[in-house]
Amino acid sequence: MTMSSSLEEQRKILLDRMEESRRNYRNNFIQQFSSTEISTAVSGNSGAFPRSHTFKLLTQHPYLIGVVLIAALAVSRGSLRNVLKKNLACTKNMLISKVKMLVVPAIIRLFRSYIRY
């Protein structure tokens, strides 16, 4: 019986530790949450969208998006015209291969039907 009572005591001690740990986490979370509420209330943005600094920057300065896009195009290896040419060439090749795949067998069947007669 002493063994089971010893296990029960260990179990109770473990459960008490877990409960204490939960209480500590809960208190820390509540303190952090209340401190962020106070800091946002002081800054005047009480939980308003956007909370991210990046999005705030972009919404407050929308011209930055245009500047970044122009800079990205200027820095890129090829000009926009070269990129469009490459994409059009790729698309053209894909379409030609599709047409060959669909039309050539039909033409072959047509010639075979003429040869039989």
Side-chain angles (χ1 to χ4, degrees):
M1 293 288 177
T2 57
M3 211 161 161
S4 66
S5 65
S6 152
L7 289 175
E8 284 296 320
E9 287 175 17
Q10 289 177 357
R11 181 177 172 268
K12 183 172 176 4
I13 290 171
L14 182 61
L15 288 175
D16 289 341
R17 276 189 191 160
M18 288 171 58
E19 184 60 34
E20 182 65 28
S21 176
R22 286 185 190 128
R23 252 187 260 119
N24 288 337
Y25 281 124
R26 197 175 304 126
N27 289 337
N28 288 339
F29 178 73
I30 290 171
Q31 288 173 356
Q32 287 176 353
F33 185 71
S34 64
S35 68
T36 55
E37 276 186 346
I38 290 170
S39 66
T40 56
V42 168
S43 67
N45 293 334
S46 56
F49 178 81
R51 288 180 277 183
S52 166
H53 293 290
T54 305
F55 281 113
K56 282 182 185 176
L57 180 71
L58 290 176
T59 55
Q60 292 171 356
H61 307 287
Y63 60 87
L64 281 178
I65 295 172
V67 171
V68 168
L69 287 175
I70 290 170
L73 287 175
V75 171
S76 68
R77 274 186 141 166
S79 68
L80 183 61
R81 188 175 190 177
N82 287 341
V83 171
L84 287 175
K85 280 183 183 178
K86 288 177 186 176
N87 284 336
L88 286 175
C90 181
T91 305
K92 181 186 85 169
N93 291 336
M94 286 174 48
L95 286 175
I96 288 173
S97 68
K98 287 283 188 186
V99 167
K100 284 180 183 176
M101 207 168 67
L102 295 173
V103 173
V104 171
I107 292 174
I108 291 173
R109 280 192 299 257
L110 183 67
F111 281 132
R112 284 184 182 167
S113 68
Y114 281 124
I115 292 174
R116 287 185 195 160
Y117 294 115

